[in-house]
Amino acid sequence: MIKALLLVGLAAVVAALAWRQARSRRKARLRENPANDYALRQDWSGNHGKLNYSSFVYFDADRDGRYGLGDRPMAGIMVRLHDGDGRFVAAARSNRGGFANFLASTKRRAAPIHVPGSYRFTVSVPPGWRVSSANEVQSQHLRPLPGSPTGLVSEAMLRPVGLFPTRRLSGRVADGVSASVAVMAKGQEVAVHPLTDGASFRLDLPDDADAIDIAGRGIARRLTLSAYPTELGLLLPENIAVESAVPLHTIGFDDVTSRGLRKVPSGYAGLTWFNLNALARDHTEGSEGYINGNISGDHVCYTSSGHPAEFSSEKPFGFHSVMLTAAWLKSEGETALVESWLGDRLIASDTIILSALAPVHYAPMLAAVTRVRLSTSHYWQLVLDDLVVAR
C-alpha cells in the first residue's frame, strides 16, 4: 500500500515537472522569437483542431421557407446523424442558438465526424408540425483537406431548416349559447364554422388565415391571429370583450432589466406583480421554453420556481391575450390554469395545455379584470411573453 502511494506521488511530481518545463519552453519561445509573432504558416500538413458541423433549426413565423428577420431560432429539436451506409452515428438537440452540433475532427476518433465520407442529417419533426423549407433530411460529403481546422471540409454547409406548427383555434362555448366563427384571410371570409353550445371546439386553420370573427349573443370577438395555436377559453355572454376601438398595450418584459434576470417590480407597466421574473432568453442553459417562448425582443417572464403568480391592479384593466409556453421539454404537456378576477368575482378560469416548442396564444379578450392568477398543475415554470392589456 505504501509502495503504491509512493509511486502515485512520484508520478504526480514527474507530471508537474513536465508541465513546468513545457510552460518554460513556451515562455522562452514567446520571449526570444518575436519574429514568429505573425509568421505565415509554412506547413499545412497537420490537422489538430475541431469544429462543430451544425444543423440550424428555426421557427418559420411567416411560413415562407426562408430564414428571415421575423423568424426565431428553435431550441430542443432533435437531429440525427447517419453515415453513408445508413448507420446511426449520433444525435443532438438544437441549442439556444438553434444549432444542433456534431463535433468534427480527424484527430479525435470519438468525434461523430472523424473520417471522410457522406453523412446524412435528419431533423425530427415534432407531431403536429410541418417543414416549410422541405429539407428536414440533408446529406453532405466531407472530403479530406490537410491544413484545414479539422482535416475535413464539405463543398457547402447545411441549409437552415424551418418548422411551424399546424395552427389551431380552440375554446369552449357556454351552455345555451349559439355562435359561429368566421375565418378571414386578407379581409375576405374563407370559412364559417358553427359552434356547438356547451361544447369544446378545435379547428384547423388554413395557412393564409390572418383573423377570426366570432358572432353570437353576447360573445362577439374579433382577433388578429398570430403564427401560433390560439386558445380562446370559455366564451361566456356575461364576460364583455375588449372593444376593437380600445387601445391595446403589449408588455414584452424587455425593459424590466438589461441584465439576465430580475424580479418584475410592482408598478412596471402600471400593474402589481407577484412571483414573476423577467429573464433573458439565453440566461439559462438548456431551457427550451425560454428560447421558444420568446417571440419578441430578448426577454420573457416566468413564474418563479414554478409556483403560482399574479398580475393585478386596483383599477380594472382589459386582459386581451398572452403567449404561454412550458419552460422545459421535460414538462411537455404540462397544464396551465389561468384565473381572471373582477374584484371578488372569478369571471374566467381556463386550462391550457403547454408545449416547450412553441407558445399558445391565449386570448380571453376580457374587457375588465383586476387580478389574473397563473399556475401549473405540476409546478413547472410557465413562460410568458407579449402580454396584451387595455388600460
Side-chain angles (χ1 to χ4, degrees), residues 107-124:
K107 291 296 182 180
R108 297 173 179 242
R109 295 194 59 82
I113 302 174
H114 68 272
V115 294
S118 294
Y119 293 88
R120 186 176 78 244
F121 301 79
T122 304
V123 172
S124 178

Side-chain angles (χ1 to χ4, degrees), residues 39 49 60 64 69 96-98 102 106 115 120 131 159 180 194 221 223 234 278 320 343 352 365 369-370:
D60 194 353
D64 67 350
L69 293 175
R96 54 193 176 186
F102 298 92
T106 55
V115 294
R120 186 176 78 244
V131 184
R159 304 290 296 177
S180 63
R221 300 284 194 277
L223 177 68
L234 178 61
H320 182 271
I352 301 100
M365 293 180 279
V369 302
T370 53

Side-chain angles (χ1 to χ4, degrees), residues 140-186:
Q140 287 291 339
H141 184 80
L142 277 77
R143 61 179 176 84
L145 179 62
S148 63
T150 68
L152 296 170
V153 296
S154 61
E155 294 305 316
M157 286 299 292
L158 300 173
R159 304 290 296 177
V161 179
L163 302 179
F164 66 93
T166 300
R167 281 194 305 172
R168 293 185 173 93
L169 177 69
S170 304
R172 293 174 295 148
V173 181
D175 291 336
V177 174
S178 176
S180 63
V181 56
V183 180
M184 314 295 291
K186 298 180 180 178

Side-chain angles (χ1 to χ4, degrees), residues 335-356:
T335 300
L337 174 64
V338 183
E339 300 167 292
S340 298
W341 301 74
L342 181 58
D344 294 330
R345 183 165 63 94
L346 178 66
I347 63 171
S349 178
D350 295 312
T351 56
I352 301 100
I353 298 175
L354 303 172
S355 172

